[in-house]
Amino acid sequence: MATFSQAQREALLDELSGMTFGRAKGKLARMDPKGRLVYYRNVQQAGEWHTKFLLEGKGIAVTLVEVNHAANDQARNKQNFEFVNVIMEAMDEALDA
Protein backbone atom coordinates (compact mmCIF):
# COMPACT_ATOMS: atom_id res chain seq x y z
CA MET A 1 0.00 0.00 0.00
CA ALA A 2 1.45 3.35 -1.04
CA THR A 3 0.95 5.88 1.68
CA PHE A 4 0.83 9.65 1.54
CA SER A 5 3.60 11.42 3.39
CA GLN A 6 2.78 14.00 6.05
CA ALA A 7 3.48 16.84 3.57
CA GLN A 8 1.19 15.29 0.94
CA ARG A 9 -1.60 14.85 3.52
CA GLU A 10 -1.27 18.49 4.63
CA ALA A 11 -1.35 19.69 1.01
CA LEU A 12 -4.50 17.66 0.34
CA LEU A 13 -6.05 18.93 3.58
CA ASP A 14 -5.42 22.54 2.54
CA GLU A 15 -6.81 21.89 -0.93
CA LEU A 16 -9.99 20.23 0.35
CA SER A 17 -10.55 22.93 2.97
CA GLY A 18 -10.78 25.54 0.23
CA MET A 19 -13.45 23.64 -1.74
CA THR A 20 -17.19 23.33 -1.43
CA PHE A 21 -18.55 20.06 -0.02
CA GLY A 22 -19.61 18.75 -3.44
CA ARG A 23 -16.23 19.44 -5.04
CA ALA A 24 -14.35 17.89 -2.11
CA LYS A 25 -16.56 14.80 -2.18
CA GLY A 26 -16.10 14.46 -5.96
CA LYS A 27 -12.34 14.86 -5.74
CA LEU A 28 -12.08 12.17 -3.06
CA ALA A 29 -14.33 9.81 -5.02
CA ARG A 30 -12.12 10.12 -8.14
CA MET A 31 -8.76 10.19 -6.38
CA ASP A 32 -8.23 6.50 -5.72
CA PRO A 33 -9.64 3.50 -7.65
CA LYS A 34 -9.37 1.42 -4.46
CA GLY A 35 -11.09 4.13 -2.40
CA ARG A 36 -14.62 3.83 -1.08
CA LEU A 37 -17.28 5.89 0.61
CA VAL A 38 -17.76 4.54 4.15
CA TYR A 39 -20.72 6.71 5.16
CA TYR A 40 -22.51 9.80 3.89
CA ARG A 41 -23.89 12.52 6.20
CA ASN A 42 -23.91 10.26 9.21
CA VAL A 43 -24.34 11.88 12.63
CA GLN A 44 -21.21 10.95 14.59
CA GLN A 45 -21.38 13.86 17.06
CA ALA A 46 -24.31 16.05 18.08
CA GLY A 47 -24.80 18.79 15.52
CA GLU A 48 -22.23 17.46 13.03
CA TRP A 49 -22.73 15.37 9.91
CA HIS A 50 -19.74 13.35 8.75
CA THR A 51 -18.97 11.88 5.33
CA LYS A 52 -16.03 9.47 5.39
CA PHE A 53 -13.85 8.12 2.58
CA LEU A 54 -11.22 5.37 2.90
CA LEU A 55 -8.57 5.80 0.23
CA GLU A 56 -6.85 2.44 0.59
CA GLY A 57 -4.46 2.97 -2.31
CA LYS A 58 -3.24 6.21 -0.72
CA GLY A 59 -3.26 4.91 2.87
CA ILE A 60 -5.51 7.65 4.28
CA ALA A 61 -9.00 8.15 5.65
CA VAL A 62 -10.68 11.51 5.06
CA THR A 63 -13.75 12.77 6.90
CA LEU A 64 -15.70 15.79 5.66
CA VAL A 65 -17.60 17.56 8.46
CA GLU A 66 -20.75 19.62 7.98
CA VAL A 67 -23.15 21.42 10.31
CA ASN A 68 -26.84 21.97 9.62
CA HIS A 69 -28.37 25.39 10.20
CA ALA A 70 -31.96 24.39 9.38
CA ALA A 71 -34.77 24.52 11.93
CA ASN A 72 -36.00 21.19 13.30
CA ASP A 73 -39.43 21.56 11.67
CA GLN A 74 -37.98 22.36 8.24
CA ALA A 75 -38.62 19.93 5.37
CA ARG A 76 -35.92 17.38 4.69
CA ASN A 77 -35.24 18.73 1.19
CA LYS A 78 -34.76 22.26 2.56
CA GLN A 79 -31.79 21.48 4.80
CA ASN A 80 -28.97 24.01 5.04
CA PHE A 81 -25.65 22.17 5.42
CA GLU A 82 -22.39 24.11 5.79
CA PHE A 83 -19.02 22.44 5.08
CA VAL A 84 -16.82 23.34 8.06
CA ASN A 85 -13.93 20.90 8.54
CA VAL A 86 -11.77 18.15 7.05
CA ILE A 87 -10.29 15.39 9.23
CA MET A 88 -7.42 13.41 7.71
CA GLU A 89 -5.95 10.29 9.29
CA ALA A 90 -3.37 7.74 8.25
CA MET A 91 -5.07 4.43 7.46
CA ASP A 92 -3.62 2.55 10.45
CA GLU A 93 -4.98 5.24 12.83
CA ALA A 94 -8.39 5.24 11.13
CA LEU A 95 -8.83 1.46 11.40
CA ASP A 96 -7.96 1.44 15.10
CA ALA A 97 -10.72 3.97 15.93
Side-chain angles (χ1 to χ4, degrees):
M1 168 184 354
T3 59
F4 266 24
S5 68
Q6 182 68 28
Q8 289 173 316
R9 288 196 305 256
E10 288 175 8
L12 180 61
L13 180 68
D14 290 340
E15 184 180 355
L16 292 174
S17 296
M19 295 181 174
T20 63
F21 175 77
R23 285 192 180 268
K25 187 172 74 107
K27 179 169 181 65
L28 290 170
R30 292 185 309 273
M31 217 172 140
D32 183 11
K34 291 183 180 181
R36 63 186 173 98
L37 176 67
V38 178
Y39 47 79
Y40 175 73
R41 285 192 175 155
N42 190 342
V43 178
Q44 296 293 317
Q45 296 177 354
E48 292 185 353
W49 279 255
H50 291 195
T51 301
K52 186 169 191 169
F53 287 87
L54 283 181
L55 304 178
E56 295 178 15
K58 307 290 184 194
I60 56 174
V62 181
T63 305
L64 306 176
V65 181
E66 298 176 285
V67 295
N68 190 355
H69 297 293
N72 287 338
D73 60 346
Q74 201 165 8
R76 186 169 187 201
N77 62 347
K78 301 286 185 184
Q79 299 298 304
N80 185 15
F81 291 101
E82 179 187 359
F83 181 41
V84 294
N85 194 11
V86 178
I87 302 168
M88 188 154 319
E89 305 167 300
M91 189 69 95
D92 53 350
E93 297 169 7
L95 295 177
D96 292 338

